[in-house]
Amino acid sequence: MQAAGRDECSLQIDKTPAHELLARRHRQPISVGFLQLGIFIGLICCLGCVRSRQDEEPVKLVFKHPRLLSREEPLHTLLDQFRHAHPHIQVQEEVLPSSSDQQHLFYGTNLEAGASDFDVFALDVIWAPEFRRAGWLYELTPYLGPDGLADFLAGPVQTVTHEGRVYAVPWFLDAGVLYYRRDLLDKYGLAPPHTLAELTQTAQLILAKESNPRLTGFVWQGKQYEGLVCVALELIRAYGGEVLDAHGNLLLSQPAAVAGIRALRAFIAPDRISPPLVTTADEETARYIFARGDAIFMRNWPYAWALLAAEDSPLRGRVGVIALPGSATHPGVPTLGGWHLAINRFSPHPDLAWELVSFLTSVEAQRRLAAAGGLKPTRVAIYSDPHARQDDPSLALFFPLLQAARPRPVTPFYLMFSQVLQGEFSAAVTGIKPVEVALHDAEQQLKRILALDVPEERHAQAPTN
Ligand code: GLC
């Protein structure tokens, strides 16, 4: 329609060349001449307007995010909705591998070099302090206002806030949970386990009776990567241990940490409820084994629930989910995981980028990602909203499990910490090093990181938003 209108406009103008208009102006009374000149200028302006709106290229906004472990269609639908409502913004999705470690490598290298070819990106909860300190995150406080994150769960908010300023918006939440084969436990009249000892006994009992030769007791993330740090921390905390106390003292050689990592190793040997291949497993490896019906228990994130309960899942209706087991003295403590959305500090379009961040973290978007994708919202109100609970009944089930989650150490040096822990935890669970030796070695390396002479925060020198 607009194109036709433009053609009509140009025809009229072509028929009335400027010299003719001037000649007529001399022949006609002055008022008529002015009227015609007014119309002429109006037409030119109108044509200019139509042309400039049509010629104006939509702004390209690049959105980088990991390959989601949950269903991806709901995110694509949301992005299409956004494109439809914002024709002046052309959102281009660029998908990175799902591994947190690989993504960190990508962002670290590119942002260090000041890359401005992506605008919005998803951040693992553990990166926010490091990226903020490096000056890579656009400050969002002016967009959000002072209470902008009041509706969000406290755990993830803590990771994106520094001295009252906000640097990312929590997008979806993760916490370690225990999946179990409800049908198998029912078959033998066994209750879901609340302690690690009960988990081992239950698995051993069922393994002794079931005939499936591939059946194993417990699968978890034991590969040398970030997922192993999450699992190992859960075991250490189940015995009341920690990596660091509130004063920054290292606690890895304490008996609680040793007991936790010993318990993790014990699943493989001597208890043999976890297969040795668990030391190469990530989230999806564990889920495939469990979803095939070849494991009794699985430690994983909430995303697996929607996939296991899907219509095409052979385990539909045969799986339960509960809090991670604790030890005889302490309850289980899930590790807090999840992803935020942030704006690249070097993006040339922060205002448009904010429109996308704000849309994707809105109540509506989070509800859709929960109902259709199984991702757990970061906004508290969604969990008690009857409509949201109707769309995704697992919200009620997961809420207490998510609320109990504890963050990994919140420090700008987290990645250095994690790299040390990944290597030493892996050496301990594979049996390459005795547990005490691995933890002692980890502690020595972490001491050196803590003693590093840390340069001034770069973001303080970067130009303000
Ligand atoms: C999940 C969590 C993330 C964690 C990662 C480890 O993606 O959300 O926080 O670092 O798993 O594999």
Side-chain angles (χ1 to χ4, degrees):
M1 290 300 287
Q2 269 178 340
R6 189 170 63 176
D7 287 340
E8 280 161 23
C9 283
S10 11
L11 280 176
Q12 282 182 24
I13 290 162
D14 288 344
K15 278 183 189 164
T16 317
H19 63 85
E20 174 65 7
L21 274 172
L22 282 174
R24 279 195 214 155
R25 189 179 162 190
H26 288 296
R27 289 196 301 268
Q28 289 165 351
I30 189 117
S31 54
V32 177
F34 270 129
L35 186 69
Q36 284 198 330
L37 192 62
I39 292 169
F40 174 73
I41 291 169
L43 280 171
I44 296 277
C45 289
C46 161
L47 178 65
C49 254
V50 171
R51 279 219 170 112
S52 72
R53 231 180 291 131
Q54 287 207 334
D55 295 348
E56 200 180 290
E57 288 287 316
V59 176
K60 189 172 95 178
L61 210 59
V62 175
F63 171 34
K64 283 208 184 280
H65 65 81
R67 187 181 70 76
L68 297 180
L69 298 180
S70 60
R71 295 216 150 81
E72 294 218 302
E73 309 87 70
L75 177 60
H76 294 143
T77 312
L78 281 172
L79 290 173
D80 284 345
Q81 267 177 17
F82 181 84
R83 289 184 186 107
H84 190 71
H86 300 80
H88 58 296
I89 307 178
Q90 195 187 74
V91 181
Q92 185 176 312
E93 255 185 295
E94 289 184 6
V95 183
L96 294 178
S98 58
S99 146
S100 172
D101 306 76
Q102 286 181 28
Q103 290 175 67
H104 183 271
L105 196 64
F106 171 85
Y107 289 120
T109 320
N110 284 274
L111 291 170
E112 185 60 38
S116 59
D117 55 357
F118 61 94
D119 306 277
V120 174
F121 65 117
L123 259 92
D124 193 332
V125 289
I126 48 179
W127 308 338
E130 176 198 354
F131 283 23
R132 177 213 31 93
R133 189 184 175 98
W136 296 340
L137 304 182
Y138 201 83
E139 193 195 326
L140 305 180
T141 332
Y143 294 121
L144 282 159
D147 295 326
L149 295 183
D151 177 29
F152 287 70
L153 275 148
V157 169
Q158 186 199 341
T159 69
V160 297
T161 314
H162 181 71
E163 294 176 347
R165 295 167 183 229
V166 178
Y167 293 87
V169 182
W171 190 27
F172 66 86
L173 205 62
D174 271 336
V177 292
L178 185 73
Y179 293 88
Y180 64 94
R181 285 285 300 280
R182 189 201 300 277
D183 56 343
L184 287 181
L185 267 65
D186 285 352
K187 183 171 165 189
Y188 297 103
L190 298 166
H194 294 293
T195 64
L196 294 158
E198 285 170 11
L199 179 132
T200 301
Q201 284 157 15
T202 308
Q204 284 173 338
L205 263 165
I206 297 176
L207 285 174
K209 293 187 174 161
E210 283 293 301
S211 57
N212 172 2
R214 288 197 313 263
L215 189 67
T216 184
F218 182 31
V219 287
W220 37 279
Q221 294 77 50
K223 175 177 150 179
Q224 185 176 332
Y225 82 124
E226 186 55 36
L228 172 61
V229 178
C230 299
V231 174
L233 262 182
E234 287 166 349
L235 268 290
I236 290 174
R237 287 168 171 172
Y239 285 87
E242 258 304 339
V243 174
L244 274 180
D245 70 12
H247 309 289
N249 299 311
L250 289 161
L251 303 177
L252 278 180
S253 336
Q254 301 292 313
V258 174
I261 301 303
R262 272 208 191 126
L264 195 55
R265 167 69 188 154
F267 292 142
I268 304 169
D271 296 339
R272 300 166 63 93
I273 63 161
S274 297
L277 77 74
V278 86
T279 58
T280 59
D282 61 11
E283 287 84 358
E284 284 293 81
T285 322
R287 186 178 69 83
Y288 289 142
I289 297 173
F290 189 81
R292 263 200 329 245
D294 290 343
I296 304 163
F297 295 107
M298 167 175 73
R299 184 271 176 209
N300 216 323
W301 307 108
Y303 81 94
W305 180 256
L307 300 171
L308 292 166
E311 272 175 23
D312 58 354
S313 158
L315 293 189
R316 185 176 163 84
R318 296 162 60 192
V319 175
V321 64
I322 46 164
L324 292 172
S327 64
T329 52
H330 289 80
V333 181
T335 297
L336 177 80
W339 293 77
H340 307 316
L341 291 183
I343 300 178
N344 175 1
R345 182 70 188 77
F346 309 110
S347 160
H349 312 294
D351 291 348
L352 299 183
W354 170 250
E355 292 196 38
L356 182 62
V357 171
S358 154
F359 173 81
L360 287 177
T361 55
S362 65
V363 173
E364 276 317 304
Q366 291 204 13
R367 272 187 56 178
R368 182 183 280 272
L369 289 172
L375 297 179
K376 295 295 169 252
T378 50
R379 290 180 182 264
V380 190
I382 298 179
Y383 290 90
S384 52
D385 175 349
H387 299 296
R389 284 169 85 130
Q390 199 178 345
D391 290 350
D392 176 10
S394 80
L395 284 178
L397 183 65
F398 277 96
F399 190 51
L401 307 178
L402 294 161
Q403 268 181 316
R406 197 182 298 168
R408 283 157 272 179
V410 179
T411 154
F413 312 111
Y414 180 76
L415 255 289
M416 285 197 238
F417 264 54
S418 174
Q419 262 143 28
V420 169
L421 295 175
Q422 288 177 22
E424 298 301 336
F425 288 159
S426 171
V429 297
T430 49
I432 291 173
K433 281 187 186 180
V435 171
E436 292 83 346
V437 175
L439 292 180
H440 171 80
D441 291 354
E443 197 161 286
Q444 294 310 308
Q445 295 169 64
L446 295 184
K447 256 187 206 148
R448 284 199 284 277
I449 295 175
L450 287 175
L452 284 178
D453 195 16
V454 180
E456 277 297 293
E457 296 197 18
R458 242 182 296 163
H459 87 278
Q461 294 147 22
T464 48
N465 287 353

